[in-house]
């Protein structure tokens, strides 16, 4: 019977990271489930829930990843994944929301509190400062699951809050 593992790496960003990690996992016979990759500053983070074939322990996966030249100097962690790998109803994305403008301390905290007030679940979050050539704006992208009966009020509250902070807000129903 296969087992589930959470594979996480963090290292300097370089070409070929995703290819090296996923190629190694494929070579072991692992099947990727949910996975994410993001450049964060000059670093890069990869995380994935993997189905490992029988007889492949997490230690072997970690040792193999550590031997890859693309992961030289990386923080690598491979642990058993003890949660249900199948997303529940709160993981169904109903809306995408993008808020952008000048960065402000506590911005993500303030906006995420609004989603909590309306019992909306943040499924994915991406925030980044765009380079000066792109206006130097701070952009936050939320993928959220909002109960249908609360979506209008929730999205209006997010938009109004963004506006009072001098930010723009664009929401899209899926």
């Amino acid at each position: 019977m296969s087992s589930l593992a959470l594979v996480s790496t963090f290292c300097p960003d370089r070409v070929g990271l995703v290819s090296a990690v996923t190629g190694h996992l494929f070579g072991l016979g692992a099947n990727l489930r949910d996975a994410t990759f993001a450049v964060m500053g000059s670093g890069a983070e990869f995380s994935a829930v993997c189905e490992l074939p029988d007889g492949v322990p997490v230690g072997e996966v970690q040792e193999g990843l550590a031997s890859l030249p693309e992961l030289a100097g990386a923080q690598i962690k491979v642990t058993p994944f003890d949660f249900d790998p199948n997303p529940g109803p709160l993981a169904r994305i109903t809306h995408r929301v993008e808020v952008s403008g000048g960065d402000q301390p506590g911005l993500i905290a303030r906006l995420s509190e609004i989603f909590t007030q309306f019992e909306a679940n943040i499924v994915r979050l991406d925030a980044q400062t765009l380079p000066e050539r792109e206006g130097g704006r701070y952009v936050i992208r939320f993928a959220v699951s909002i109960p249908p009966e609360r979506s209008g009020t929730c999205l209006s509250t997010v938009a109004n809050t963004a506006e009072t902070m001098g930010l723009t807000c664009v929401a899209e129903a899926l």
Side-chain angles (χ1 to χ4, degrees):
M1 175 179 232
S2 64
S3 62
L4 295 172
L6 176 62
V7 175
S8 302
T9 67
F10 188 76
C11 62
D13 184 31
R14 56 181 69 108
V15 172
L17 285 174
V18 173
S19 177
V21 172
T22 57
H24 178 75
L25 294 170
F26 176 74
L28 292 173
N31 182 42
L32 294 182
R33 305 249 334 185
D34 292 341
T36 63
F37 176 80
V39 172
M40 304 176 85
S42 63
E45 177 183 47
F46 175 87
S47 295
V49 174
C50 301
E51 293 177 23
L52 301 179
D54 289 339
V56 178
V58 294
E60 180 181 325
V61 176
Q62 186 161 329
E63 289 172 15
L65 290 170
S67 72
L68 298 175
E70 294 86 353
L71 291 179
Q75 298 171 19
I76 302 167
K77 187 173 182 182
V78 181
T79 58
F81 187 79
D82 297 325
F83 297 99
D84 184 343
N86 300 307
L90 288 177
R92 183 180 163 273
I93 298 169
T94 60
H95 297 81
R96 295 192 195 284
V97 180
E98 181 177 292
V99 176
S100 64
D103 190 11
Q104 301 175 33
L107 181 56
I108 293 174
R110 190 165 180 189
L111 295 171
S112 63
E113 287 172 0
I114 295 168
F115 291 119
T116 300
Q117 288 173 342
F118 290 92
E119 297 179 13
N121 188 42
I122 298 171
V123 180
R124 298 263 179 191
L125 166 68
D126 176 59
Q128 64 187 128
T129 302
L130 299 179
E132 286 300 321
R133 68 179 180 278
E134 296 180 42
R137 297 177 310 128
Y138 189 67
V139 179
I140 307 167
R141 293 177 188 93
F142 295 95
V144 293
S145 178
I146 306 173
E149 66 279 5
R150 297 173 182 255
S151 64
T153 310
C154 177
L155 295 171
S156 292
T157 304
V158 171
N160 290 339
T161 301
E163 185 178 337
T164 63
M165 299 174 78
L167 307 169
T168 60
C169 178
V170 177
E172 169 190 23
L174 302 179

